[in-house]
Amino acid sequence: MTGAQFGELPFLTEDDEVRSCAFSPDGKSFAAGLENGSISLYATSNWLRTRTLNGHSDLIRRVVFSPDSGQLASAGEDRTVQIWDLKTGTCIRTLTGHRNSVNAVAYSPQGDQVASASDDRTVRIWNVTKGKCLKTLRGHTNWVLCVVYAPRGDHVVTSSGDRTIRLWNIDAGICSRILTGHTNSVWDVTYSPQGDQIASGSEDTTVRLWDVESGTCQHVLHGHNNLVYSVAYPPRGSQIVSGSQDGSLRVWDTETGSCHTTLTGHSNGITSVIFSPKGNQVASGSFDKTVRLWDVSVTASRPVSIGHSREVGSIKCSPKGGTLVSGSSDTTIRLWDADSGAYRRTITGHTESVFSVAFSSSGDRLVSGGYDESVRLWEVSSGKCLHTLIGHGDVVQCVAYSPQGHQVASAGDDNAVRLWDVVSGHCQRILRGHTDAVMSVVYSPNGNWIASGSRDGTARIWDAGSGECRQTLQGHDNWVRDVVYSSQGDQLASAGYDCRVRLWDVQAGECRSMLIGHSDRVACVSYSLQGHLLASGSWDKTVRLWNVATGQCRAVIRFQDTIHGLGWGTALDGNYLTTGCGDGSLVRWQLIEDEKSCNVRMYWNASSGKLTVSGTSIQGVRGLTEINKQLLKHRGAIGEPEHASLVTKLKKTSNGMKAESSPVVDLPLEQLVPMNDP
């Protein structure tokens, strides 16, 4: 079960594949045309089904409302167009004449005509009142897949399996322009509200934007990885939405051609997308037999290009707590305001993935290491690279600043730990002993010791002054991916690819506790600043919060991707944990604790904003609207909302959570979905 999207409304379940969707112009009704030949009508005030129209003997290809919202036209594979009176629910006219499937139908702006497009390679113009065919437009050399009227009503635009788009003068009955560029069938085409632009979706996986006057292609929009079935403009604004066989919707900026948002949730291809008359909602129909509704006024309000574009491998909080730094496989380092989540700066210089980042004790310097085999020292205020440290000759997996700020440690696939002077940039010492790649390195709080974790399954404790190995900690059955000291320096936590977290007595070199709960490799561990909690992130897509003294798992936060980075911070109102995910997102969580419970709420989110609720309990939660309740139930939430011990709030979006062996963590429920009229 995938996560709900930020701005997603409950979905409608149909008896068969949904082939076409339409809002009535007055916004009061919604229609879905199905594979079984029926049409479902809904009232948008409550999204209850009001009527089912039966008349076609084969699947419905397209449904569209008349401009006055009083009629509905439907195109079917039974070669007919049917006109329906919505007051009575009866078919008042059947238009026949096409010799093959009718793929599309459109009302003229005046409502006196409809145009139909067919597999017989023709377009027909009909008088709605008389049911008479006024013109037949010929020219396409393959199926005609779509037809739409221009806003003024004097032209129609068509798209075809012959890979072309054609503009037709209706009065003259002639093709006035042919648009070429797509390399496969063009499944959908539509005019912008102003009539100056055309959008088309194709089996070549692209969306194209065309200038009507010149016929030139303004943008080719790449992003879908399968054929694009449907495109739609809002009533106003500079966006379009596209739906694809890849199961996703994409919202694009028509001026720049950039993708604002990708919406996922369907389990099969999307056949139809449509904006509501107010432009604040999008409906999508799918082969998965559902219609999903999206509040795009919410998704449009989110910042564009926020978060990394690839996995976040490392997160650290500055010593004073005001800044977060993240390193990513997108080769960049980013700085964030810890309180608001606001993006501050991107630092570039690494040529490949950045695996590790760390602040100096003063907070004005950074160290980073990555796949390009380099260690780099940076000035935080300017983003300037002060030193590039070369010596490993292989991938640098981890870096750390000494508490005194005079030295950095780095380690990697050459099996060694290197200590560097930050002023001169010279390598002072090489610590050897591990027999495989060193995946993690960290200084003790007093700076006297260095701990390292390796693929050889061991953690080692080194004298930072002499470089001598004082302890070899053995117990993990697989890689030791991360090691971290407690704030007092008397304990070391290690994350293993054996799905275990181990807590070690540093002086004795013995494992005092083993934390079991993750079902896949543990990638990272981090102590809270007070030292009483330990967070662990795993390939099982969870973060677990552990009571260090008892070993009890106090809470579990579930995600849509692997967790690679953890960073603790503090503020006057409590403890905060930041998580870095394989999808490039950063999320900051606030912990609210008492003796009996450990509650977690999202504080900010720099990501695509999915809400993971599969298996999450909403028992006793307050503040849910009926619509929100339906959405959470659809997405796999369990229980019935009534009263909550804690109502949590969001700034931007939500992630689902569940606590184990402790009270349920309440969902953040400050209006997941604003209930606006379509």
Side-chain angles (χ1 to χ4, degrees):
M1 175 82 64
T2 57
Q5 294 281 0
F6 181 50
E8 184 182 356
L9 300 172
F11 58 79
L12 312 175
T13 302
E14 297 292 350
D15 296 330
D16 212 332
E17 296 174 357
V18 180
R19 292 306 189 104
S20 181
C21 298
F23 280 99
S24 63
D26 63 11
K28 296 179 180 180
S29 300
F30 178 84
L34 308 183
E35 174 87 10
N36 61 15
S38 67
I39 302 166
S40 297
L41 296 178
Y42 293 86
T44 58
S45 59
N46 55 16
W47 289 103
L48 295 179
R49 188 178 300 176
T50 58
R51 195 186 297 273
T52 299
L53 308 179
N54 293 296
H56 285 282
S57 60
D58 210 332
L59 68 89
I60 306 291
R61 288 289 187 184
R62 192 69 60 102
V63 291
V64 62
F65 285 89
S66 63
D68 65 2
S69 302
Q71 292 181 350
L72 183 82
S74 55
E77 206 157 280
D78 60 5
R79 307 182 183 185
T80 70
V81 173
Q82 297 192 7
I83 309 295
W84 303 84
D85 183 298
L86 296 180
K87 288 184 179 180
T88 63
T90 58
C91 177
I92 58 174
R93 196 156 286 108
T94 299
L95 311 181
T96 60
H98 283 294
R99 299 193 307 274
N100 212 325
S101 301
V102 184
N103 295 312
V105 62
Y107 270 97
S108 66
Q110 298 76 23
D112 59 335
Q113 292 180 357
V114 294
S116 57
S118 171
D119 277 0
D120 65 11
R121 307 182 183 184
T122 70
V123 175
R124 288 178 176 252
I125 309 296
W126 308 82
N127 180 291
V128 174
T129 304
K130 298 179 180 179
K132 178 182 178 182
C133 179
L134 304 176
K135 283 188 175 67
T136 300
L137 310 180
R138 293 182 170 87
H140 282 294
T141 59
N142 206 323
W143 316 313
V144 186
L145 296 169
C146 185
V147 60
V148 175
Y149 276 88
R152 291 189 301 177
D154 56 343
H155 282 72
V156 293
V157 62
T158 58
S159 64
S160 171
D162 64 14
R163 308 179 184 182
T164 70
I165 298 161
R166 292 177 181 246
L167 281 70
W168 305 82
N169 182 300
I170 296 175
D171 288 341
I174 60 172
C175 177
S176 57
R177 177 168 280 125
I178 301 176
L179 309 181
T180 60
H182 281 295
T183 59
N184 211 324
S185 299
V186 186
W187 281 86
D188 200 21
V189 66
T190 187
Y191 273 99
S192 66
Q194 299 78 21
D196 59 345
Q197 190 179 69
I198 289 171
S200 56
S202 170
E203 197 163 342
D204 64 12
T205 76
T206 70
V207 175
R208 287 180 178 251
L209 305 181
W210 310 82
D211 180 78
V212 171
E213 185 175 352
S214 66
T216 58
C217 180
Q218 298 171 311
H219 292 290
V220 181
L221 312 183
H222 295 277
H224 289 295
N225 57 36
N226 210 323
L227 69 89
V228 181
Y229 273 122
S230 185
V231 289
Y233 284 93
R236 53 196 166 274
S238 57
Q239 292 182 327
I240 61 165
V241 65
S242 57
S244 168
Q245 179 61 33
D246 65 13
S248 73
L249 291 83
R250 288 179 176 258
V251 183
W252 311 83
D253 187 298
T254 58
E255 295 179 0
T256 65
S258 62
C259 179
H260 277 221
T261 306
T262 301
L263 303 173
T264 58
H266 284 289
S267 60
N268 207 329
I270 295 169
T271 58
S272 179
V273 293
I274 189 74
F275 274 93
S276 65
K278 289 186 178 180
N280 61 332
Q281 291 180 7
V282 167
S284 55
S286 170
F287 290 119
D288 67 7
K289 302 182 183 181
T290 70
V291 174
R292 292 189 182 269
L293 305 168
W294 311 86
D295 192 309
V296 291
S297 64
V298 176
T299 59
S301 69
R302 288 182 292 152
V304 179
S305 300
I306 193 166
H308 287 283
S309 60
R310 296 182 64 187
E311 73 179 47
V312 177
S314 181
I315 299 171
K316 294 293 187 297
C317 190
S318 64
K320 294 183 179 180
T323 304
L324 288 167
V325 63
S326 57
S328 169
S329 292
D330 64 11
T331 76
T332 70
I333 299 164
R334 295 194 180 202
L335 298 173
W336 312 83
D337 184 279
D339 183 59
S340 67
Y343 160 79
R344 285 183 173 175
R345 180 188 296 278
T346 296
I347 297 175
T348 59
H350 283 285
T351 58
E352 295 190 69
S353 298
V354 181
F355 288 147
S356 184
V357 290
F359 277 103
S360 65
S361 57
S362 61
D364 61 347
R365 298 287 188 268
L366 284 172
V367 62
S368 61
Y371 198 83
D372 61 7
E373 305 179 4
S374 73
V375 176
R376 294 174 183 257
L377 301 179
W378 310 88
E379 184 179 62
V380 173
S381 60
S382 65
K384 178 183 177 182
C385 183
L386 303 176
H387 285 294
T388 300
L389 312 179
I390 303 297
H392 279 286
D394 211 330
V395 174
V396 178
Q397 295 283 355
C398 48
V399 292
Y401 243 107
S402 68
Q404 295 78 17
H406 67 290
Q407 189 181 75
V408 295
S410 61
D413 287 3
D414 61 359
N415 305 352
V417 177
R418 290 175 180 260
L419 307 183
W420 308 83
D421 182 275
V422 299
V423 177
S424 66
H426 293 152
C427 180
Q428 299 173 310
R429 186 169 282 109
I430 302 176
L431 313 182
R432 301 188 187 277
H434 284 295
T435 59
D436 206 337
V438 183
M439 306 302 290
S440 180
V441 64
V442 63
Y443 283 88
S444 63
N446 62 14
N448 294 333
W449 307 96
I450 295 171
S452 58
S454 170
R455 288 181 189 169
D456 64 14
T458 70
R460 289 178 178 250
I461 298 176
W462 312 80
D463 187 303
S466 67
E468 180 185 354
C469 179
R470 293 296 180 88
Q471 298 276 6
T472 299
L473 310 180
Q474 297 178 316
H476 284 287
D477 297 329
N478 208 321
W479 296 4
V480 178
R481 184 63 182 85
D482 197 17
V483 290
V484 63
Y485 274 99
S486 64
S487 56
Q488 295 78 26
D490 58 342
Q491 191 177 78
L492 187 79
S494 58
Y497 270 21
D498 57 3
C499 310
R500 304 288 189 264
V501 176
R502 289 178 177 261
L503 305 183
W504 305 84
D505 183 299
V506 171
Q507 188 170 0
E510 297 177 353
C511 180
R512 298 299 191 192
S513 180
M514 185 165 58
L515 310 180
I516 300 175
H518 286 293
S519 60
D520 205 337
R521 295 160 286 178
V522 185
C524 47
V525 285
S526 184
Y527 281 96
S528 64
L529 299 187
Q530 293 83 2
H532 66 297
L533 288 177
L534 181 79
S536 58
S538 169
W539 285 71
D540 65 10
K541 304 178 183 179
T542 70
V543 168
R544 288 177 176 259
L545 301 179
W546 308 88
N547 183 301
V548 173
T550 66
Q552 178 192 19
C553 179
R554 302 209 67 194
V556 179
I557 311 173
R558 304 186 186 279
F559 295 81
Q560 288 295 303
D561 213 324
T562 305
I563 304 301
H564 294 283
L566 296 168
W568 284 93
T570 188
L572 293 177
D573 56 348
N575 290 317
Y576 291 84
L577 175 69
T578 305
T579 55
C581 205
D583 61 7
S585 66
L586 284 84
V587 184
R588 198 175 203 212
W589 309 87
Q590 184 183 22
L591 273 69
I592 303 172
E593 295 182 88
D594 56 36
E595 293 182 358
K596 296 183 179 180
S597 65
C598 177
N599 289 293
V600 185
R601 74 174 184 180
M602 178 178 292
Y603 196 66
W604 55 255
N605 184 349
S607 74
S608 58
K610 291 183 179 179
L611 169 63
T612 308
V613 299
S614 180
T616 297
S617 173
I618 57 173
Q619 187 72 32
V621 171
R622 293 176 296 180
L624 277 177
T625 66
E626 184 62 27
I627 293 293
N628 285 339
K629 174 185 170 183
Q630 290 179 40
L631 171 60
L632 296 174
K633 287 280 194 175
H634 283 157
R635 290 310 219 157
I638 58 176
E640 290 296 327
E642 292 178 355
H643 302 289
S645 59
L646 173 70
V647 176
T648 59
K649 296 184 177 181
L650 288 185
K651 287 187 175 181
K652 291 182 180 178
T653 184
S654 312
N655 276 59
M657 297 155 281
K658 186 175 75 173
E660 296 180 355
S661 303
S662 66
V664 171
V665 178
D666 292 331
L667 289 169
L669 295 172
E670 184 180 71
Q671 284 302 91
L672 290 177
V673 180
M675 285 311 298
N676 302 320
D677 292 332

